[in-house]
Amino acid sequence: MKKEIGSDFNINLKLFFNKTKNNILKNSILLSSGNDCISYILKENKTKILLPSYLCKNILIPLKEENVKYSFYKINKKLQIDLEDLEYKIKKENPGMILIIHYFGFIQPNMDKIMNICTKNKIILIEDHVQSFLSKPKMKGDYLFNSYRKYLQIPDGAFLIKKTHTKIKIYNSPKKYVLKRFCAGILKNLIFLKKIWRKLFIDAEKKLIHNHKKPAKMSRISIILLKKFNLYEIKLRRRRNYFFLDKYLNSLFPKLDANVCPIGFPILLESKKERDQIKNKLIKNKIYASIHWALPTEISKKEFKDSWEISNRILTIPLDQRYNKKDMARIIKVMQS
């Protein structure tokens, strides 16, 4: 039976018996998800926010829940912030906050310029490190948040760092959501139970992920597990797999700097049709590549052409710490067949 590559993480019970290997939980607010982090920030700041035109539609959920107005600024074909458009939108929209995303583990260039623009205009700067928290983020903005479960084998978990000293009420962790994801992660160790654990993952993500009071605490299970990971080894494996894939595929990012820990290997295909064909071919061989992201309909196709072109052509090849060079070679073989 072919080994699955990609999709949700399994959870190895042996982790509970590992010694503590990091102090990753130090000096941060521990929340259940990236959206809980956004909710926390919005409860402190009820003001209009400027968002990048390339993002996951789930980011908009807490904004709508908190009735916070938003608009978008341009991201170019290299997934970098268009500084000229950003400054134009600041003058036009007069926002109180700006969200920036460090895509796929690569830190946005011109961070000092962006910070100076925000300082000059008295704008709160929020850094989304969901895809890049192992890339040694140096906090430039007023807030920085991540989502651990995008990188690690845990049912939930995120951290928020902020420069302000006010405190927002934090609710209990979403028990039903965490329990379903934890059970699914444990059962995933048994491939013959796929129908069961796959349903649990789907139910958790579609029915329960937003069905709780926000912001919610990180679960106790995830707090225990987080201390057990060797983050240096995880970063090393991900980078090693990236370099292997880079010999055969063209990444959307030309260079992997020493500080970067990639969340995946993003490639652009010639068209949406070709992208979908490649994705389906990989699925037939139990390789589950992702699309980061299908954009929300609120983003104008006319104004943000570059963002929509990337969204229609992008495919993220999995390369996380569960896999080795042999697995990467299998991916290449399938793609080139």
Side-chain angles (χ1 to χ4, degrees):
M1 186 177 291
K2 286 183 180 178
K3 172 185 177 181
E4 284 194 348
I5 299 176
S7 128
D8 299 281
F9 282 110
N10 64 306
I11 296 175
N12 192 332
L13 285 173
K14 291 180 180 179
L15 275 172
F16 284 99
F17 303 98
N18 286 354
K19 294 180 179 179
T20 297
K21 295 183 178 179
N22 65 71
N23 63 348
I24 197 170
L25 300 176
K26 189 178 179 181
N27 300 324
S28 60
I29 300 167
L30 306 179
L31 300 173
S32 185
S33 69
N35 271 6
D36 285 284
C37 294
I38 295 174
S39 292
Y40 188 108
I41 296 167
L42 298 180
K43 287 182 185 298
E44 283 195 330
N45 308 278
K46 293 283 188 178
T47 181
K48 187 172 186 178
I49 185 169
L50 267 183
L51 305 170
S53 61
Y54 198 82
L55 47 63
C56 173
K57 60 185 177 182
N58 286 339
I59 287 178
L60 302 182
I61 292 174
L63 300 177
K64 293 174 180 177
E65 289 175 341
E66 298 295 331
N67 294 313
V68 171
K69 293 181 179 180
Y70 56 87
S71 56
F72 302 96
Y73 62 86
K74 289 181 181 178
I75 295 294
N76 66 26
K77 292 181 179 179
K78 295 181 180 179
L79 289 181
Q80 296 175 357
I81 295 169
D82 183 327
L83 291 179
E84 185 177 337
D85 187 67
L86 179 65
E87 292 192 272
Y88 168 72
K89 292 294 172 56
I90 288 172
K91 292 178 182 177
K92 180 184 177 183
E93 304 289 346
N94 191 30
M97 299 183 286
I98 292 175
L99 174 74
I100 64 171
I101 298 174
H102 301 288
Y103 299 102
F104 294 97
F106 294 79
I107 306 302
Q108 283 285 348
N110 303 311
M111 280 303 300
D112 288 333
K113 288 183 180 179
I114 294 167
M115 183 180 65
N116 289 337
I117 289 170
C118 290
T119 301
K120 182 178 69 175
N121 292 280
K122 297 181 180 179
I123 294 172
I124 295 165
L125 180 60
I126 305 165
E127 294 187 70
D128 179 338
H129 274 279
V130 167
Q131 297 189 357
S132 57
F133 92 94
L134 283 180
S135 296
K136 293 184 179 180
K138 294 181 180 179
M139 186 174 178
K140 296 285 186 178
D142 300 280
Y143 295 92
L144 183 153
F145 71 90
N146 90 322
S147 177
Y148 287 120
R149 70 186 186 88
K150 303 293 185 181
Y151 269 85
L152 304 172
Q153 294 148 294
I154 56 175
D156 77 324
F159 76 71
L160 173 67
I161 302 174
K162 61 175 188 166
K163 290 182 178 178
T164 58
H165 297 288
T166 56
K167 288 186 178 181
I168 296 296
K169 182 178 179 180
I170 300 176
Y171 297 93
N172 292 331
S173 63
K175 292 180 180 179
K176 290 183 180 179
Y177 171 76
V178 172
L179 182 60
K180 279 209 171 188
R181 280 192 54 86
F182 179 71
C183 291
I186 296 297
L187 292 176
K188 192 175 179 182
N189 294 298
L190 305 171
I191 190 65
F192 62 89
L193 293 178
K194 182 172 182 177
K195 285 186 178 180
I196 298 175
W197 53 255
R198 186 64 187 142
K199 185 179 185 304
L200 289 172
F201 276 128
I202 291 172
D203 285 349
E205 297 305 315
K206 289 190 174 181
K207 299 178 182 178
L208 297 173
I209 190 169
H210 300 296
N211 190 24
H212 65 274
K213 289 184 178 181
K214 301 185 185 78
K217 298 176 184 177
M218 186 191 303
S219 68
R220 185 60 186 165
I221 293 173
S222 292
I223 290 174
I224 292 170
L225 289 175
L226 271 168
K227 299 175 184 179
K228 310 294 186 177
F229 291 104
N230 184 330
L231 300 179
Y232 174 80
E233 179 64 24
I234 287 170
K235 183 174 180 178
L236 195 65
R237 290 184 184 184
R238 284 175 172 265
R239 286 176 56 84
R240 185 171 58 210
N241 289 338
Y242 188 101
F243 283 124
F244 185 93
L245 292 172
D246 199 41
K247 295 176 184 177
Y248 304 93
L249 302 173
N250 293 320
S251 172
L252 186 57
F253 297 90
K255 184 181 179 182
L256 189 69
D257 292 332
N259 67 319
V260 173
C261 180
I263 196 169
F265 193 95
I267 60 173
L268 285 184
L269 282 304
E270 288 297 319
S271 64
K272 184 178 186 297
K273 181 179 179 181
E274 184 188 13
R275 189 271 307 279
D276 293 344
Q277 288 174 342
I278 294 292
K279 187 174 188 290
N280 289 332
K281 183 195 288 188
L282 290 168
I283 289 172
K284 288 178 181 178
N285 286 272
K286 295 188 176 181
I287 300 167
Y288 301 99
S290 301
I291 296 174
H292 293 105
W293 295 283
L295 300 183
T297 56
E298 289 94 329
I299 296 175
S300 167
K301 292 184 178 181
K302 183 178 180 180
E303 183 180 3
F304 303 108
K305 291 180 180 179
D306 288 344
S307 293
W308 277 100
E309 182 180 350
I310 294 171
S311 177
N312 288 330
R313 295 168 51 203
I314 197 167
L315 190 65
T316 307
I317 308 301
L319 50 64
D320 64 71
Q321 59 271 19
R322 293 172 288 180
Y323 312 117
N324 54 33
K325 290 182 180 179
K326 184 178 178 181
D327 299 315
M328 298 301 102
R330 182 177 143 209
I331 293 173
I332 298 300
K333 184 178 179 180
V334 171
M335 291 185 69
Q336 294 180 344
S337 63

